[in-house]
Amino acid sequence: MLRVEELEAALPAMMPWRVAAGRNVDWAALQAALGTALPSDFRSLAEAYPLLVIDDFLSVSIPRPGTEVSWASEARKDEILQDLYEMGDTEGYVPFPQPGGLISWAESYSGDSFYWRTSSPDPDAWPVVVYGANGDWSEFPVGAVEFLAGVYGRTIDVPGMPRNFPSDQPEVLGLSDCVE
């Protein structure tokens, strides 16, 4: 699994949002509510960063401390995926908690969805699956952090994405854990 530092090298604009002291996500509560552990690379990312919005296009859904149960609930009831599944438009992919089901971890503002396929008892072995707004499904044999590093380091090409994705100089916005 790729480390967060390798993603930072590919996407240096995210570094100002790093929380030096860590974020203290309650992983036990999240796992209990979701029914599974999450990949270690994503847990490391979530401990270091708040929710990230990249180029006003891609939103990486990071659980906020104190809202772990809510995050898990949202991940379990992905209505768009459920609708696609019921219409037979998932090319064999199924929603979690079905065996091998998909769990969402990011989305684009154009309607693309980024998932893990829970195909292994070891979350670190889960591949990334992308549902493009154009109806294409693509699977990548990497975790979320390696996927993002590959996209922004231009070693992974995601079919169906806009021509300007990723941009030449991606900007990153980190959304605070503080709720006002």
Side-chain angles (χ1 to χ4, degrees):
M1 299 229 91
L2 212 62
R3 295 184 357 233
V4 172
E5 291 79 11
E6 293 167 87
L7 172 56
E8 292 168 337
L11 188 59
M14 69 187 281
M15 293 177 62
W17 302 105
R18 186 182 254 278
V19 179
R23 296 182 57 250
N24 299 314
V25 174
D26 185 343
W27 294 107
L30 193 147
Q31 181 175 337
L34 186 58
T36 186
L38 293 177
S40 60
D41 67 328
F42 183 77
R43 291 190 318 259
S44 295
L45 179 65
E47 284 298 325
Y49 285 94
L51 186 143
L52 297 171
V53 177
I54 306 167
D55 265 351
D56 199 28
F57 176 75
L58 180 68
S59 176
V60 181
S61 178
I62 306 285
R64 191 174 69 231
T67 67
E68 294 87 354
V69 172
S70 171
W71 190 95
S73 175
E74 289 296 316
R76 285 182 70 96
K77 68 171 190 177
D78 185 325
E79 292 176 10
I80 293 171
L81 177 60
Q82 187 63 41
D83 289 346
L84 289 168
Y85 177 69
E86 289 171 5
M87 293 184 303
D89 288 339
T90 58
E91 293 188 12
Y93 292 109
V94 298
F96 185 82
Q98 293 184 49
L102 301 180
I103 297 174
S104 177
W105 60 270
E107 62 188 9
S108 81
Y109 294 155
S110 294
D112 310 289
S113 298
F114 300 78
Y115 300 99
W116 293 289
R117 183 169 57 89
T118 60
S119 53
S120 169
D122 176 9
D124 288 342
W126 294 349
V128 167
V129 174
V130 178
Y131 171 69
N134 60 0
D136 289 347
W137 289 88
S138 303
E139 187 167 322
F140 302 87
V142 297
V145 169
E146 187 171 350
F147 176 80
L148 291 171
V151 166
Y152 289 98
R154 298 184 186 275
T155 61
I156 292 178
D157 181 48
V158 183
M161 291 290 122
R163 276 187 295 204
N164 63 345
F165 173 78
S167 72
D168 292 333
Q169 297 274 321
E171 295 180 11
V172 179
L173 175 64
L175 301 182
S176 172
D177 286 337
C178 298
V179 177
E180 312 233 350

